[in-house]
Amino acid sequence: MQSPVPRVPQQPAATRTEIGTRLTVELASVVAGARRRALRDGDRQIDTAHLLHSLIESDPDVRTVVGGGPQIARVLGYLVQRSIGYGLRWQGSVEDSGTVPVLRGTDVGAAAAAGAEMSPVPGVPGVSGADLSGWSPSAVTAMEGALERAELRGDERAGGVDLLACLAADRECRAVEVLERGGVDTALLAGRISEASRHVSQG
């Protein structure tokens, strides 16, 4: 569901979370890449399609579970048309497929509402400036879910497959729209993600 961009008064960035310390270096690079893409394209917010694009370009594990060469080429081919095609209808609207929950111990949603910024990730330029108030509600929810997935299996840091799992689970987000238009069966994708997660936990 797309809703008009609200005029929200600026709020002080008084609260900072430790999100940056809970991402793998690879996922931190994905976040930085999504931020650069949104800025380059003149988009007001980092949304789930930006995150998906950066994930597929940067993370080989994500490319494997999405489906390999030809499938990746189709999805990327669709993603790169955003600025000249389907993405034009997203301009001036906020990606919001539901409420932003608050993850225990992380408080990402509350931080976003307060205008908090992500903490720096050493060696990954751009992440320290990734202001969560510039993320869509759906993107914030996906990041919360990725952190929770990692926490539940006992990992300190979330990875790219964690984020992909949460993007694919949100049937109303832009990332799922892109995946399905690129020919990805998101039900089968969920199964491949579960299998990849089991291998990670066993390894």
Side-chain angles (χ1 to χ4, degrees), residues 158-182:
V161 174
D162 293 315
L163 182 56
L164 178 66
C166 296
L167 294 175
D170 184 351
R171 301 293 305 168
E172 301 300 320
C173 77
R174 293 173 180 176
V176 164
E177 178 180 337
V178 169
L179 285 168
E180 292 184 341
R181 287 181 177 272

Side-chain angles (χ1 to χ4, degrees), residues 23-33 54-55 58-61 121 124 127 157-161 163:
L23 307 182
T24 62
V25 171
E26 293 79 10
L27 184 52
S29 296
V30 166
V31 171
S54 192
L55 274 171
S58 305
D59 193 319
D61 291 335
V121 177
V124 183
V127 174
R157 295 175 182 267
V161 174
L163 182 56

Side-chain angles (χ1 to χ4, degrees), residues 58 76 106 133:
S58 305
L76 282 174
T106 308
S133 64

